[in-house]
Amino acid sequence: MTKFGMGQSTRRIEDPRLLTGGGRYTDDTKLAGPAARAYVLRSPHAHAVIRKLDASAAKAAPGVLAVLTGDDVKAADFGDLPCLIPIQNRDGSMRPDTPRPMLAQGKVRHVGDPVALVVAGTLEQAKDAAELIEVDYAPLPSVVDTYGAAQKGAPLVWEHIKGNEVFDWEMGNRGATDAAFAKADRVVKLRLVNNRVVVNSMEPRGAIAEYDAASDRSTLWVSSQGVSVIRPYIAEMVLKIGQDKLRVRTGDVGGGFGMKIFVHPEYPMVVWASRLLKRTVKWIPERQEAFQSDVQGRDHVSFAEMALDKDCRFLGLRVTTYAALGAYLSHYSAFIPTMAGTGMLAGLYQTPAIYVNVKGMMTNTVPTDAYRGAGRPEAAYLLERFVDHIARETGLAPDEIRARNLVRPDQIPWATALGDTIDSGSFEAVMRKAMAQADWAGFAARRAETQKRGKWRGIGLATYVEKCGAGAPDIARVMFNEDDSLTAFIGNQTNGQGHETLYTQILSDKLGVDIDRIRIVQGDSDVVPDGMTGGSRATPVGGVAMVGVSDKIIAKGRLVAATVLEAAPGDIEFKDGSFAIVGTDRRLSLFEAAKAAREPKNLPAGAAPGLDDEFMREGDNATFPNGCHICELEVDPDTGSVDIQRYTVVDDFGAVMNPLLLMGQVHGGIGQGVGQALTERTVYDNESGQLLSGSFMDYALPRADVVPHVHFDLHNSPCTTNPLGVKGAGEAGAIGAPPAVINAIVDALLPQTGIRHIDMPATAHAIWQAIQAARGGGKVAA
């Protein structure tokens, strides 16, 4: 018998299957018969009018089954891919739309914009036919620079969007912030860039559509973060066939990171093509295609100002951010730089007045949307990089400027100036614990030793907080099977986080059932309830739903057991998978109770037969995980290369369900955060709009020698907003890492060069250039 307890470092039960080749990703889907292959012809231009498109030769090519274009989309009266977030501008008006059909109609707006879909017997035939499609483009001026798109005279991505500004949004108290600046003893300013990243999940997106003629019903296999998010937008809003005509299924998923939440154009395309041809159609992109079509992340230019009193306490923060949204508004893209992350610009500090203005900028680039952390990493990077800069401008140590301004334990719960209430935490204690474990006090000696070897050593500190674990509800449904096993259904979707282990662990602990008798089902819209993976919700919402349904099963089972055992319900206890009369050996196992519950005589009046049940956990109450990251590194002044020597993180995640899973999430997040800080550079050519970093030859994901060993510890304060006491943890590593790394680089450069700031990604080339400029009397990075 093997049972899991909550709080144990249990190894992932899905790993043996995945590590021995048993995983079933989208491309591995077993189909009833051979699939036709789909290939998407994409725009080679960043901005152009389609003057003419002739697909006649392609349609006559060997093996070709269909060629679909924007004209076909229009003729079928299909809907556009939606942006789901309305935004109210500062002047009270609402943001305009950016209509996005599945296939371009009349104009293309970024390199990679879908122009035609070719379906053929083989992928090679589809590719060959796509080359026969004649498209007469009239190129137009394009703009790919985030801040440049806001400048007077910049080319317009959309004629109806003046100055490329799709929204002009605000948060905070402008009057109170202006008053704070008016009485300030000092004001510090900084311009920061949060670089665009390409998601690059290990498993690319993909979609396979099957069609059943008897029921006129389609099944879409897709790598997703929740089938119930995908189905309504394709079935209702785009194809207009009704949800009853579409089943969406997701198998194993090789990473999502936000990008796989969204409906991309290819998903409704393959369903459409499959229904037209009445056969299976499969689209699996190559990596270069993913670079040009997967929604991307980040891409902000921000101007920050802090008002300080004479003791360097924060009086007011003012931020203006230009957020690149790409050529089209994606599902949640308007939400990410506004409501998703802006509240976190308060950080863990007592700043009494904050005002933020976010300008959403359209550019001739791939659309942006949620990427691990979804707005919170952008806020944390801006604030923690800025706070470090303020420390250097005022002559205070990085820990001292923070200690003077951090919220104290006796002030919890803390209402921030941007409307959130942080329910728990001990922020300076977390910082001091991280400093002790990083041996902050011994840094000066290590720096001196490094200097003797001709290297420059720096140490960087960053605190963080994120608002997560809320949003849409999750429903957990448990069914008792004839073979004395349980099947649990939940609508969110594992992307590699270990959901199967987590939920099995909770059910095993609560219900006393062996792990080999528990099966977790996700990824089938025909059987799972609504749900979604995103926002670090799997435990605070999904886990609480599993606890809730377990409690309902136990409560009903106690009444059944009392009837069967002829005892009062108050005399029945549940322990180790059995109901028993207290103080006796008379007992009924959980599965015996489930079978007894099928007989009406054993049930309370009006109760449904059986112990099958479900529980919905609303996502109303957010959690506020927080922590401190400390990065210590060496810079080679001759090459600009960076070598991370030590990396320490202390987090407050409240109660912990599985420390091993938790560490895995933090390590992975730090890897992505370090990658953004040091290596990942998305480059569009300013003249042509071409994506110059469109493959792994030019886009540098972090490698093993870049990602550091992480010393990880906890300093937990139980969360008060959910019964498990947990705080979301899936995105935290990606939030704290970027500012810690850049702060460390600046700490290494400043004593030698006077460089006070460097933007991400701080590649070896960028650092070397900054050093040369400083040494040669050129312009030093601001």
Side-chain angles (χ1 to χ4, degrees):
M1 295 210 327
T2 306
K3 293 186 175 68
F4 284 173
M6 289 190 284
Q8 296 178 359
S9 282
T10 305
R11 290 184 179 274
R12 298 180 2 145
I13 61 177
E14 52 266 75
D15 282 353
R17 174 177 63 84
L18 297 174
L19 292 172
T20 56
R24 290 295 178 265
Y25 300 90
T26 303
D27 197 25
D28 302 319
T29 303
K30 292 182 179 179
L31 305 170
R37 298 302 300 269
Y39 177 77
V40 179
L41 178 69
R42 301 182 182 277
S43 169
H45 298 285
H47 198 193
V49 172
I50 300 175
R51 291 192 292 210
K52 182 181 178 183
L53 190 157
D54 184 354
S56 56
K59 291 178 180 179
V64 170
L65 301 170
V67 178
L68 302 172
T69 69
D71 287 343
D72 299 309
V73 173
K74 189 174 182 179
D77 192 32
F78 290 139
D80 295 328
L81 274 71
C83 175
L84 304 171
I85 307 299
I87 294 287
Q88 185 176 45
N89 295 311
R90 291 194 291 176
D91 64 6
S93 64
M94 300 304 295
R95 65 151 182 85
D97 283 325
T98 59
R100 189 185 189 188
M102 282 184 282
L103 293 164
Q105 297 174 11
K107 186 178 283 189
V108 291
R109 289 182 168 85
H110 70 89
V111 173
D113 213 351
V115 173
L117 179 74
V118 181
V119 183
T122 69
L123 180 59
E124 291 72 21
Q125 289 173 332
K127 286 182 175 182
D128 289 344
E131 292 185 2
L132 301 176
I133 298 175
E134 297 181 12
V135 186
D136 182 11
Y137 294 102
L140 297 170
S142 61
V143 60
V144 296
D145 180 71
T146 304
Y147 188 57
Q151 304 311 302
K152 186 177 180 180
L156 294 181
V157 181
W158 293 89
E159 290 80 358
H160 67 285
I161 298 177
K162 184 179 179 181
N164 293 312
E165 187 178 281
V166 72
F167 59 74
D168 180 20
W169 179 87
E170 65 182 350
M171 175 182 268
N173 189 322
R174 186 173 188 174
T177 305
D178 289 345
F181 275 82
K183 68 179 182 181
D185 290 279
R186 182 169 188 171
V187 173
V188 179
K189 301 180 180 182
L190 185 64
R191 178 188 188 271
L192 305 100
V193 173
N194 201 295
N195 49 312
R196 178 180 284 240
V197 293
V198 179
V199 177
N200 281 316
S201 55
M202 187 177 293
E203 179 202 18
R205 288 189 301 115
I208 303 171
E210 298 178 290
Y211 178 71
D212 178 63
S215 62
D216 187 35
R217 195 163 189 249
S218 297
T219 297
L220 173 67
W221 291 87
V222 63
S223 187
S224 81
Q225 291 179 226
V227 293
S228 66
V229 179
I230 301 291
R231 183 168 71 155
Y233 304 128
I234 294 177
E236 301 286 352
M237 302 181 77
V238 181
L239 297 182
K240 304 177 184 179
I241 58 175
Q243 293 191 55
D244 61 321
K245 295 295 185 183
L246 180 64
R247 179 184 188 183
V248 180
R249 302 192 67 179
T250 294
D252 291 309
V253 179
F257 311 116
M259 179 264 290
K260 289 182 180 174
I261 295 172
F262 314 115
V263 173
H264 289 69
E266 299 84 4
Y267 305 164
M269 276 188 223
V270 296
V271 176
W272 175 32
S274 173
R275 294 178 70 83
L276 281 175
L277 297 171
K278 295 182 168 38
R279 62 177 295 176
T280 301
V281 176
K282 180 176 183 177
W283 172 77
I284 302 292
E286 297 175 348
R287 185 63 67 175
Q288 188 171 10
E289 190 175 4
F291 269 90
Q292 295 183 353
S293 63
D294 296 352
V295 292
Q296 298 172 355
R298 316 292 194 236
D299 201 347
H300 291 183
V301 176
S302 297
F303 298 85
E305 304 172 80
M306 185 73 82
L308 307 165
D309 70 8
K310 60 183 177 58
D311 297 318
C312 296
R313 289 185 168 83
F314 303 158
L315 299 177
L317 172 65
R318 189 157 52 204
V319 176
T320 300
T321 289
Y322 295 80
L325 301 168
Y328 304 95
L329 292 177
S330 180
H331 278 22
Y332 299 150
S333 61
F335 176 71
I336 304 308
T338 55
M339 295 166 277
T342 298
M344 295 300 95
L345 285 170
L348 298 171
Y349 304 111
Q350 302 177 43
T351 315
I354 304 174
Y355 177 74
V356 184
N357 175 213
V358 179
K359 300 178 186 296
M361 305 308 303
M362 305 308 297
T363 56
N364 293 113
T365 60
V366 176
T368 61
D369 212 310
Y371 172 68
R372 196 170 191 170
R376 284 97 73 197
E378 294 92 318
Y381 176 72
L382 185 154
L383 184 63
E384 287 302 299
R385 178 67 205 100
F386 190 28
V387 168
D388 230 58
H389 182 72
I390 293 168
R392 300 189 191 286
E393 292 294 299
T394 58
L396 293 179
D399 61 311
E400 177 59 26
I401 190 76
R402 290 174 170 85
R404 293 188 188 189
N405 290 284
L406 285 169
V407 174
R408 303 186 309 271
D410 64 343
Q411 295 173 302
I412 300 291
W414 174 257
T416 75
L418 292 175
D420 290 310
T421 299
I422 301 176
D423 67 292
S424 58
S426 184
F427 312 132
E428 185 174 358
V430 168
M431 181 180 74
R432 298 299 179 192
K433 184 173 182 177
M435 293 174 67
Q437 295 192 1
D439 188 20
W440 188 278
F443 172 73
R446 295 192 295 277
R447 170 177 266 176
E449 186 276 330
T450 298
Q451 189 81 17
K452 293 177 183 177
R453 294 187 282 106
K455 303 283 182 72
W456 301 343
R457 199 174 189 100
I459 193 167
L461 178 155
T463 64
Y464 80 90
V465 62
E466 70 157 323
K467 179 181 181 179
C468 64
D474 265 334
I475 298 171
R477 184 179 298 146
V478 171
M479 182 177 70
F480 285 78
N481 303 315
E482 290 293 339
D483 61 354
D484 288 355
S485 66
L486 296 176
T487 302
F489 304 86
I490 192 163
N492 60 27
Q493 179 66 47
T494 185
N495 299 163
Q497 300 95 330
H499 288 187
E500 188 176 343
T501 301
L502 169 68
Y503 297 141
T504 299
Q505 194 166 358
I506 291 173
L507 292 173
S508 179
D509 182 282
K510 292 289 294 182
L511 299 177
V513 176
D514 296 347
I515 63 169
D516 56 3
R517 292 187 174 190
I518 299 172
R519 177 173 172 248
I520 307 298
V521 175
Q522 298 173 301
D524 185 346
S525 64
D526 273 7
V527 297
V528 301
D530 289 350
M532 182 194 79
T533 291
S536 299
R537 300 169 55 261
T539 307
V541 185
V544 171
M546 287 292 180
V547 170
V549 71
S550 299
D551 288 341
K552 289 180 71 176
I553 288 168
I554 292 169
K556 186 176 180 181
R558 180 178 282 111
L559 298 177
V560 172
T563 300
V564 174
L565 297 174
E566 300 179 328
D571 294 332
I572 300 293
E573 66 175 355
F574 181 75
K575 186 178 180 181
D576 295 331
S578 292
F579 298 95
I581 301 175
V582 176
T584 75
D585 60 357
R586 295 183 62 203
R587 65 187 57 249
L588 198 69
S589 75
L590 176 66
F591 291 104
E592 289 171 336
K595 291 172 182 175
R598 296 172 186 170
E599 299 182 30
K601 67 179 183 179
N602 296 324
L603 291 168
L611 291 187
D612 296 358
D613 219 322
E614 68 177 41
F615 182 87
M616 181 173 72
R617 171 66 179 182
E618 297 286 355
D620 296 337
N621 299 311
T623 71
F624 292 89
N626 60 88
C628 180
H629 288 229
I630 297 177
C631 177
E632 187 171 331
L633 50 74
E634 289 183 349
V635 173
D636 185 334
D638 294 329
T639 65
S641 61
V642 171
D643 185 9
I644 297 177
Q645 300 287 303
R646 297 177 173 213
Y647 200 100
T648 304
V649 57
V650 175
D651 284 313
D652 174 0
F653 290 135
V656 176
M657 295 294 99
N658 185 319
L660 197 61
L661 288 182
L662 182 68
M663 283 189 284
Q665 288 296 293
V666 172
H667 290 174
I670 289 172
Q672 286 183 281
V674 168
Q676 184 183 4
L678 293 180
T679 67
E680 296 187 50
R681 184 167 179 247
T682 308
V683 183
Y684 286 89
D685 182 73
N686 281 322
E687 295 299 321
S688 67
Q690 294 293 321
L691 178 61
L692 301 182
S693 54
S695 75
F696 289 143
M697 292 292 290
D698 303 294
Y699 187 92
L701 286 178
R703 300 185 182 219
D705 60 348
V706 173
V707 179
H709 172 77
V710 176
H711 177 83
F712 171 71
D713 204 351
L714 294 165
H715 188 92
N716 289 332
S717 302
C719 179
T720 65
T721 63
N722 65 73
L724 284 175
V726 298
K727 302 175 183 179
E731 297 155 307
I735 295 172
V741 172
I742 298 299
N743 288 343
I745 291 172
V746 172
D747 187 60
L749 298 179
L750 180 61
Q752 308 294 334
T753 65
I755 294 172
R756 308 183 81 81
H757 178 66
I758 190 166
D759 280 316
M760 299 190 292
T763 63
H765 185 236
I767 294 173
W768 182 85
Q769 283 185 314
I771 292 171
Q772 298 312 304
R775 283 174 168 174
K779 184 179 179 181
V780 177

